[in-house]
Amino acid sequence: MYNEKDINEQIAWAKINADVLRSMENPRKSYWVAIVICILMIACAVFAEYIQYTVGMGPSNLNNPHMWDMYIATFVFWIGMSHSGTLLSAILHLIHADWRKPIYRFAEAMTTFSLMTAGIFPIIHLGRVWNMYWVLPYVSDRGLWPNFRSPLVWDAFAISTYLSASMLFLFIGMIPDLAICRDNARGWRKKLYTVLSLGWSGNDRQWRNFRKIYLLMACFLIPLAVSVHSIVSADFAMSIMPGWHVTTFPPYFVAGALYSGCAAIITLFVLLRYFFRFEEYMTLPIMEKTAKLTFAIAMVWTYLNLIEFSSVWYGHDIYNKELLIDKATGAYAWVFWTMLFCGSVVPFALAFQKLRRHMPTMFVVSLLLNVGMFFERWMIVAPTLSMSHSPHQWDVMWGSIVEWAIVFGSLGWFGLLFLIFVKVFPSVSMYEVKEMVFHRQRHLVNEDAATKFHRRSDDKTTTGEPGLEGA
Amino acid sequence: MSKHCVMGLFSDFDEAFAAISDIRKTKIPGVSVDDVTLKSPIEHPEIEEVLGERPVHLQKFTLFGAIFGVTFGFFFLAAAQASFLVQPQGGKPVVALPSNFVLMYEMLIFFAVWGTFLAFLFLSGLLRKRHSLYSENVSLDQVGILIDVDDSNLERVKDLFKQHKAVEIREEEIR
C-alpha cells in the first residue's frame, strides 16, 4: 500500500507561482515539433475539405442511406470529450474534492477546445458550408424560422450555450491566475494579462463574489452538460431507426461522454506531468484518484451497454435484434468487439494499483479507452444506416480517405489549440493549489494540536493526576 | 484635515487577522472594520469571522437572468412558431410545448450564466483601474490590509501594523 499525500503541503507559495510561470516560458524544441505536426494534420484536413467543397459530398462516401457517417460520429466523440472539464471542475468542486485543483484547469480548457472542434463537424457535414447559418434562430426573407421541433436546432442552441458557458467558466476560474501572470510578465504578455485579468487585485470583495460566481457557474454547468449530451442523443433517439430509437440513449451518451473525457484527462495529465515537470502538482495519488473515477465510469458505461443489449435481445423487435446480431457478427464486427474490449475490458487495468501508478501504462490505457469511445460513436451511427428498415438499402460503408483526413485533422486542431493554451495560460491553477496547500497545512496543525491534547490528557490519567472527566 | 490611505503587508493571514481584530478592539476614532479591505492571494475560509458578514448580491442577478431567459425563450419561440401558421402543421400544435421546453431550458441557463458574469464584473469592482497602493506581493504570498484614515490616526494605524510584524507599510494621501 502506498500512503502518499495528494500534494506536499510544505510547498512555498512563491514556488508554486514560479513553477507554473516557468512552464509558460521558453518553449522547447519538442514543443515546436508538436506545433508543426498539428499544423500538418490540420493541413491534411483543409486539403480534404477543399476537395469536398469543390467536388461535392461524393468523395466522402456520403449518400443515401449513408447520410450520416464519420463526421457525425466524430462530432459526438468531441462533444463527449468536452464533458471532462465539467466533471472535474463542476461536479468535483461541488462535492469539495480538492484533489481536482491541480488538474482541473487543463480539463476545462479541453472542454472548450473539444467543443470548438465538435462545432466544426456539423458544418463540414453540411457540404454546403456557406449555408451553415440556416440553423440559427432567425427569420428568413420568406418569413420562415428554423423548425424548433428538430433536435438539430436544439443542438445549435445547446452547443452554443455550452460553449459560451464553459468558456466563461474557464475564464472566470483563471482571473486570479491571470493577475499573477500580469504581475510577473513583461512585453506583450504583460499587456495581454493586464487586459484579461480585468483589474483583479485580490481584495475581499472580489474573492467573495468570485466564490459565489464559481459555485453558481458550477451549478449551471452540470445540468447544462447533461442536457447537451442528452440533446445530442436526441438527434438519434428521436428518429424511428433501429438501434437509435432507444430510451436509454441520453444516460448512455452522458456516461460515454464522461468516460472519454476522463480518459483524455489521463492522457493529458501524463503528457503535462512529463513535459512540464509537474510531478509536484500532478502527483501519483491524484492520478490514482482520476484512474479510479475513470474505472467507475467505465463500469457504468459497461452496465448501460449490457442493459441496451439485453433490452434489445428480450424486446423481440426484429429490426433491432437483427441489427444487434449484425453488429456482433457482420462487417462491423471487428469495430464492435474492439469497442467492447477497449471500453469494458481494458479499464480493468485501472483496478490495479501498480498499473495506476505507472505513467506509460496509464498513457497507453487512456488512449485505448478513447479508441474504444470513438468506435462506440461509430457503432452508433454507421450500422443503423447500413441495415435500416428497407432491405434494398442495406449496404456497408467505410469512411473514405477524405473523411479520415478530416477526422485526423480535427485531432491536430484540438492539439494546436491546447498547445497554444498551455504556453499562453497557466495550465495549473496557482491560487487553487495555494488554497489546497493552505487547507492541508491547517488540517495538519489542527491534527497535531489534537494529538498533543490527547497525549497530555492520557499522561495526566496515567500519572494519577485528574483527567478531563474529573474536571 | 487630509485623509490617507494606508496599506500594511503581512507575511501570513494570522498576523493580518490579528491586526484587524486590534482595529476592532482599539476603536480608533473614525476607523471601523467596515472600512478595511483585505487583499490576499487566496480566499481565507474564515474571512467572515474577521471582517464580519458582507453581503453578496450576485445570486439575485442569476435569478433575474434565469427568469428572463425562460420567459424570453417561451415568448420568442411561441412568437416565431405562431408567425408561420400558413405552414401545414400536420395536426401538431402550433406552439409545441415539449420541444420548446428543451430550448427554454437552454435559454434559462444561457441568460443566467451571462447575467451572473456581467453582475460579477460590476459587483466585484472589476474593469476599473487598480488601487495605486496595489502590491504585486499580494498575488504571490502576502496579505494586505488597506484602510483609509484621517491624518490624526495615521500614526496609530501604522504602529498597529508594525506591532503585528507588517512586512511593508505603504501610504498615500487621498486628494
Side-chain angles (χ1 to χ4, degrees), chain A residues 157-233:
Chain A
F157 273 77
I159 292 170
S160 49
T161 304
Y162 192 33
L163 181 62
S164 63
S166 57
M167 281 172 87
L168 278 183
F169 196 48
L170 171 67
F171 175 64
I172 291 166
M174 261 198 312
I175 293 173
D177 277 352
L178 291 170
I180 297 174
C181 295
R182 173 199 64 203
D183 293 344
N184 291 279
R186 283 186 214 143
W188 67 269
R189 279 181 184 262
K190 179 110 186 161
K191 285 179 192 158
L192 177 74
Y193 300 134
T194 304
V195 172
L196 291 179
S197 60
L198 307 174
W200 178 270
S201 60
N203 64 41
D204 56 282
R205 178 183 172 194
Q206 290 174 343
W207 279 118
R208 269 197 314 277
N209 283 294
F210 182 82
R211 183 179 50 182
K212 189 65 102 181
I213 193 173
Y214 206 76
L215 181 70
L216 288 168
M217 294 289 283
C219 290
F220 276 113
L221 218 62
I222 296 165
L224 181 59
V226 172
S227 80
V228 168
H229 228 54
S230 302
I231 287 172
V232 171
S233 78

Side-chain angles (χ1 to χ4, degrees), chain A residues 17 144-145 149 157 182-183 198 202-207 209 211 213 216 220 223-224 227 434 442, chain B residues 38-41 43 46 48 54 62 83-84 87 89 93 105-107 120 123-124 127 134 139-140:
Chain A
N17 279 15
L144 292 175
W145 290 82
R149 293 193 190 100
F157 273 77
R182 173 199 64 203
D183 293 344
L198 307 174
N203 64 41
D204 56 282
R205 178 183 172 194
Q206 290 174 343
W207 279 118
N209 283 294
R211 183 179 50 182
I213 193 173
L216 288 168
F220 276 113
L224 181 59
S227 80
K434 287 177 193 171
R442 276 164 58 93
Chain B
L38 187 80
K39 296 191 173 195
S40 54
E43 192 197 20
E46 286 149 21
E48 269 98 7
R54 291 181 178 179
T62 311
S83 73
F84 52 77
Q87 277 194 328
Q89 303 293 326
Y105 180 79
E106 297 301 325
M107 287 198 199
F120 170 68
L123 295 174
S124 305
L127 297 176
Y134 175 78
S139 71
L140 184 67

